[in-house]
């Protein structure tokens, strides 16, 4: 996080009644009407664009993107959350409309309209007074009025916190928007509407993602839970080798370099509506995605574009997979706004409201199924899909069709490294929507307990594609997925062109 503003600091008010008027629209009727107009307007503009010149069509796409994400950002809550979740898939959009949506999506992940400073102060005062008593101001000794970041559920302010021992440290104070709970619950009923709208924009079927997102949104309101998860996840990047990775190394699977170059901010306090963590200075990942090299910190700006992209993707791989293997948590909100490029070529991971529980590590059937697909073993793939709950016991599916369907995704782990690209992601989405795969797709349903893991895995591929990076995907799977490690066939000669291939 960075904040170059000179801001006024003054004492927070004494504790006040915790009930606050909402700072966003919360009524179901108002939110529904705003959201319902978006796909209708998009359809009308799309029809108009088909009759106009390319330049005019691009202007219409830009105006539609601006309206769409301005509305999602203003509504915040679940509306903005879905927009953020979809931002990692902008690489799959048709190139002729990708640019305006890319810019609008990025702004949605980086910022949203802020709540008034006085409201944020009252929320902080009420929660900290309840947690620490009348002496809470001896802990939070400074609070900056101007928010450093604003997102879908809360906004972040800079501050200063006195830790045990008396030292004062710079902190990020995340404050939940009053009324956001009601807004979220209203948006649960609009998930399918938004999914249809996003499908028109991206040509992707995101109904499953929308259903899963809607079912998990309310969990993100619990900042106490988030603080606990964040503190636990930090252990995955410690210098001492976690026992899970020691077991992988003993089996001959060394992790790719860079795990200890990932950091998670320390947690100092967590209440239901306020989360206080260590402040980190850095540049958002979007600066690298957008080519804004002037914003990159030392250790990043000296690298060439390709080298920086590869390093960022390698650190992202650790950030995504190491906690799942070592701490039983997997970050499931992988949009660019949740990652910071830090000085020294390091990476920070933020915001642990949306996480997948992975007790015992990455589910073994995930890795075993990928290994069976790479080996071209259709019967094993069918058996593992049933075992994982993705295929009903009585469903009849052609094993060869399952192998062909899943092979392009599994192939990212076939070689020592794999180069992701926007063209690869668009090709992957086109591959999945081929009519010949319809019988298999009708029977394959990701089981609910793995929904967030699927979301995180696909989001990781989306980030890698945006970066256009060469990633040691196989190395991550070998180090972090025992199911993959125990079943995988030998690596093929290195291939880094990112093209889709089928099992022979």
């Amino acid at each position: 996080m960075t904040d170059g503003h000179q801001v006024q600091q003054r004492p927070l008010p004494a504790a006040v009644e915790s009930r606050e008027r909402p700072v966003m629209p919360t009524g179901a009727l108002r939110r529904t009407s705003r959201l319902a107009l978006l796909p209708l307007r998009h359809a009308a503009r799309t029809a108009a664009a088909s009759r106009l010149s390319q330049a005019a069509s691009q202007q219409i796409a830009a105006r539609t993107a601006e309206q769409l994400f301005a509305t999602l950002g203003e509504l915040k809550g679940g509306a903005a959350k879905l927009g953020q979740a979809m931002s990692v898939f902008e690489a799959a959009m048709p190139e002729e409309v990708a640019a305006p949506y890319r810019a609008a999506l990025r702004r949605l992940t980086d910022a949203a309209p802020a709540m008034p400073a006085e409201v944020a102060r009252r929320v902080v005062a009420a929660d900290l007074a309840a947690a620490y008593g009348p002496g809470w101001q001896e802990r939070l000794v400074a609070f900056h009025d101007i928010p450093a970041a604003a997102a879908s559920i809360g906004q972040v302010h800079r501050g200063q916190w006195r830790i045990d021992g008396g030292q004062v440290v710079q902190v990020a104070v995340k404050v939940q928007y009053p009324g956001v709970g009601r807004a979220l619950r209203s948006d649960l009923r609009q998930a399918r509407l938004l999914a249809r709208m996003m499908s028109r924009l991206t040509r992707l079927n995101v109904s499953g993602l929308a259903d899963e997102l809607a079912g998990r949104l309310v969990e993100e309101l619990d900042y106490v839970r988030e603080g606990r998860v964040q503190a636990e996840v930090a252990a995955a990047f410690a210098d001492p080798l976690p026992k899970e990775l020691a077991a992988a190394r003993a089996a001959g699977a060394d992790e790719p370099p860079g795990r200890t170059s990932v950091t998670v901010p320390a947690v100092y306090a967590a209440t239901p509506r306020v989360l206080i963590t260590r402040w980190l200075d850095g540049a958002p990942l979007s600066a690298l995605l957008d080519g804004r090299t002037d914003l990159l910190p030392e250790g990043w700006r000296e690298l060439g574009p390709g080298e920086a992209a590869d390093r960022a993707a390698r650190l992202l791989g650790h950030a995504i997979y190491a906690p799942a293997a070592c701490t039983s948590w997997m970050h499931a909100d992988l949009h660019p706004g949740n990652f910071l490029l830090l000085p020294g070529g390091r990476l920070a991971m933020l915001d642990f409201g949306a996480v997948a529980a992975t007790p015992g590590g990455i589910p073994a059937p995930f890795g075993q199924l990928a290994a069976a697909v790479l080996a071209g073993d259709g019967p094993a793939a069918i058996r593992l899909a049933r075992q994982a709950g993705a295929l009903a016991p009585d469903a009849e599916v052609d094993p060869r069709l399952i192998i062909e369907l899943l092979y392009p995704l599994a192939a990212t782990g076939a070689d020592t490294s794999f180069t992701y690209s926007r063209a690869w992601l668009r090709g992957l989405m086109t591959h999945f929507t081929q009519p010949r795969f319809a019988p298999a797709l009708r029977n394959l349903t990701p089981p609910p307990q793995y929904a967030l893991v699927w979301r995180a895995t696909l989001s990781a591929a989306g980030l890698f594609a945006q970066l256009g990076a060469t990633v040691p995907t196989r190395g991550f799977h070998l180090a972090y997925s025992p199911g993959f490690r125990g079943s995988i066939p030998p690596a093929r000669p290195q291939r880094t062109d990112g093209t889709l291939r089928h099992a022979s």
Side-chain angles (χ1 to χ4, degrees):
M1 302 173 186
T2 57
D3 182 7
H5 298 289
Q6 294 295 319
V7 298
Q8 180 183 6
Q9 299 183 32
R10 50 194 172 89
L12 283 164
V16 297
E17 170 62 41
S18 62
R19 298 178 61 184
E20 285 287 341
R21 296 184 61 184
V23 297
M24 66 186 74
T26 58
L29 179 62
R30 181 179 177 189
R31 295 180 70 83
T32 299
S33 62
R34 294 286 301 278
L35 296 173
L37 287 175
L38 291 174
L40 298 177
R41 289 171 176 166
H42 172 71
R45 286 175 173 169
T46 300
S50 66
R51 301 188 296 269
L52 299 173
S53 67
Q54 182 178 1
S57 297
Q58 290 174 345
Q59 291 178 357
I60 286 178
R63 287 200 299 272
T64 303
E66 291 290 339
Q67 181 190 43
L68 169 62
F69 294 106
T71 299
L72 294 181
E74 180 184 345
L75 291 178
K76 302 187 182 75
K81 271 292 175 187
L82 182 60
Q84 288 177 341
M86 289 309 303
S87 70
V88 296
F89 295 112
E90 60 86 5
M93 292 182 181
E95 194 57 37
E96 64 270 18
V97 298
Y101 288 105
R102 185 175 306 143
L105 278 163
R106 200 68 44 73
R107 284 199 299 277
L108 181 63
T109 66
D110 286 345
M115 70 172 130
E118 288 304 318
V119 174
R121 286 175 166 271
R122 288 196 295 269
V123 172
V124 170
D127 268 37
L128 292 187
Y132 292 95
W136 65 269
Q137 287 177 301
E138 297 176 6
R139 290 279 191 168
L140 186 63
V141 297
F143 182 87
H144 296 194
D145 280 344
I146 299 176
S152 54
I153 289 178
Q155 68 189 33
V156 177
H157 294 254
R158 293 199 68 164
Q160 293 178 314
W161 181 262
R162 180 175 285 110
I163 61 176
D164 293 339
Q167 180 184 1
V168 175
V169 296
Q170 300 296 317
V171 294
V173 184
K174 184 158 73 168
V175 186
Q176 194 171 109
Y177 298 124
V180 72
R182 274 180 282 168
L184 281 176
R185 291 174 177 87
S186 172
D187 289 339
L188 298 185
R189 296 185 290 274
Q190 301 306 314
R192 282 203 170 274
L193 171 65
L194 286 167
R196 290 196 297 271
M197 174 186 62
M198 296 305 297
S199 294
R200 292 191 182 106
L201 298 179
T202 64
R203 301 178 187 173
L204 303 177
N205 182 359
V206 296
S207 295
L209 170 63
D211 288 343
E212 170 272 319
L213 184 63
R216 296 284 185 160
L217 274 176
V218 177
E219 293 180 356
E220 300 188 42
L221 296 171
D222 188 351
Y223 281 5
V224 174
R225 172 182 178 270
E226 180 177 344
R228 175 175 58 85
V229 170
Q230 183 166 333
E232 292 176 3
V233 166
F237 311 110
D239 284 326
L241 191 66
K243 64 180 185 301
E244 293 82 3
L245 300 188
R249 182 172 296 181
D254 287 335
E255 59 181 325
R259 177 179 55 85
T260 57
S261 292
V262 179
T263 189
V264 173
V267 177
Y268 297 119
T271 70
R273 298 181 300 167
V274 177
L275 182 62
I276 299 177
T277 62
R278 177 188 172 197
W279 179 269
L280 297 175
D281 283 308
L285 178 63
S286 57
L288 181 59
L289 293 171
D290 293 340
R292 294 177 289 173
T293 56
D294 57 310
L295 299 181
L296 300 181
E298 168 270 325
W300 289 98
R301 59 175 173 264
E302 296 86 355
L303 303 176
E307 188 179 3
D310 290 352
R311 178 173 181 81
R314 191 171 68 252
L315 298 185
L316 283 168
H318 286 294
I320 295 162
Y321 296 115
C326 303
T327 70
S328 298
W329 295 109
M330 190 174 193
H331 202 302
D333 196 8
L334 303 177
H335 65 77
N338 281 341
F339 297 96
L340 282 181
L341 305 176
L342 303 179
R346 296 172 59 82
L347 179 81
M349 180 164 55
L350 313 172
D351 195 345
F352 293 85
V355 291
T358 57
I362 295 173
F366 270 59
Q368 293 167 344
L369 179 58
V373 170
L374 287 178
D377 189 342
I382 294 290
R383 174 177 54 80
L384 288 163
R386 295 191 199 282
Q387 180 182 328
L391 187 63
D394 58 348
E396 294 293 334
V397 181
D398 184 347
R400 293 171 299 180
L401 204 60
I402 292 292
I403 295 296
E404 285 190 58
L405 172 67
L406 298 179
Y407 190 82
L409 189 58
T412 60
D415 301 335
T416 305
S417 62
F418 186 85
T419 297
Y420 295 78
S421 67
R422 297 176 186 275
W424 170 81
L425 188 59
R426 288 195 296 271
L428 183 67
M429 298 307 171
T430 300
H431 168 83
F432 285 147
T433 57
Q434 291 183 47
R436 65 194 179 93
F437 293 134
L441 288 170
R442 278 196 298 269
N443 289 294
L444 281 174
T445 304
Q449 67 268 31
Y450 294 155
L452 283 178
V453 177
W454 276 113
R455 172 184 167 186
T457 301
L458 293 175
S459 296
L463 284 174
F464 296 158
Q466 288 186 58
L467 287 164
T470 299
V471 185
T473 309
R474 181 184 179 89
F476 288 130
H477 293 338
L478 289 171
Y480 297 136
S481 175
F484 186 90
R485 184 166 65 243
S487 311
I488 193 67
R492 300 180 311 193
Q494 185 171 344
R495 174 89 172 264
T496 60
D497 61 6
T499 56
L500 295 180
R501 293 164 291 177
H502 297 284
S504 55

